[in-house]
Amino acid sequence: VLVVANPANTNALILKEFAPSIPEKNISCLTRLDHNRALGQISERLKVQVSDVKNVIIWGNHSSTQYPDVNHATVNTPAGEKPVRELVSDDAWLNGEFISTVQQRGAAIIKARKLSSALSAASAACDHIRDWVLGTPQGTFVSMGVYSDGSYNVPAGLIYSFPVTTANG
C-alpha cells in the first residue's frame, strides 16, 4: 500500500495501526515527490540531466520538517561519478536555499497555481511503485517513507523517510 494523501507519514501510521492484517513491510508513504524535487534542483543547478543525479536522501516526513540530504548524492559526468557537494561547490546554497526550496516546493506550487502538484505526485507515485516492484538500480537508493525498525537512531514504530534499496518486490 502506498499512502499519498497528506499528512502521508501520519496516514500511513494510522493505516498500519487500524489494518493490522497488512504487514508493516507492505506499507509505505510517498516521499519520492520530495526526492524527485531534490534531484531536479541539483540537475538545474549543475545543468545536467536529472537521470545523471542519484542518491539524494529525504529524511523524515513529507512536510516542511523533512531534511533533504546530498551528502551521498553523486552525478554522472564524462569523467565518471562525482559527489554533488564537490560539483556544486557552494555549501551555503546546499545547506540553505536548496533545503528550503525542496521543503517548501509543494506550498510554492499551490501558491503559484492555486492548485496542487497532482501530476508531479502521480509521476512520483509511479516512480515509487516501479522501484518497489522492479527494484532499484544497482548502486542507487531512493527515498521512501517506511516503517522504522530503529535504524539510523530513528525510533522503531514510526513511518519515516529513509534511503531505500529494493529487490524482488
Side-chain angles (χ1 to χ4, degrees), residues 156-167:
L158 294 178
I159 303 286
Y160 194 89
S161 183
F162 292 98
V164 174
T165 59
T166 61

Side-chain angles (χ1 to χ4, degrees), residues 19-91:
S21 64
I22 301 173
E24 59 202 29
K25 70 177 184 171
N26 291 347
I27 298 172
S28 69
C29 74
L30 189 67
T31 55
R32 183 60 176 267
L33 178 56
D34 308 300
H35 180 93
N36 288 353
R37 288 171 174 162
L39 294 174
Q41 290 294 309
I42 296 297
S43 75
E44 186 177 303
R45 177 75 178 211
L46 296 175
K47 297 180 181 10
V48 299
Q49 298 294 314
V50 172
S51 59
D52 289 333
V53 185
K54 70 178 187 179
N55 295 342
V56 167
I57 304 167
I58 301 297
W59 296 98
N61 290 321
H62 172 64
S63 73
S64 62
T65 63
Q66 67 182 252
Y67 182 75
D69 176 1
V70 298
N71 290 311
H72 301 281
T74 61
V75 177
N76 286 328
T77 72
E81 254 183 33
K82 301 286 185 186
V84 164
R85 280 205 180 271
E86 177 184 315
L87 293 173
V88 169
S89 191
D90 185 348
D91 283 347

Side-chain angles (χ1 to χ4, degrees), residues 95-108:
N95 296 332
E97 184 180 338
F98 166 74
I99 290 172
S100 61
T101 298
V102 175
Q103 289 173 334
Q104 302 296 328
R105 185 70 178 152

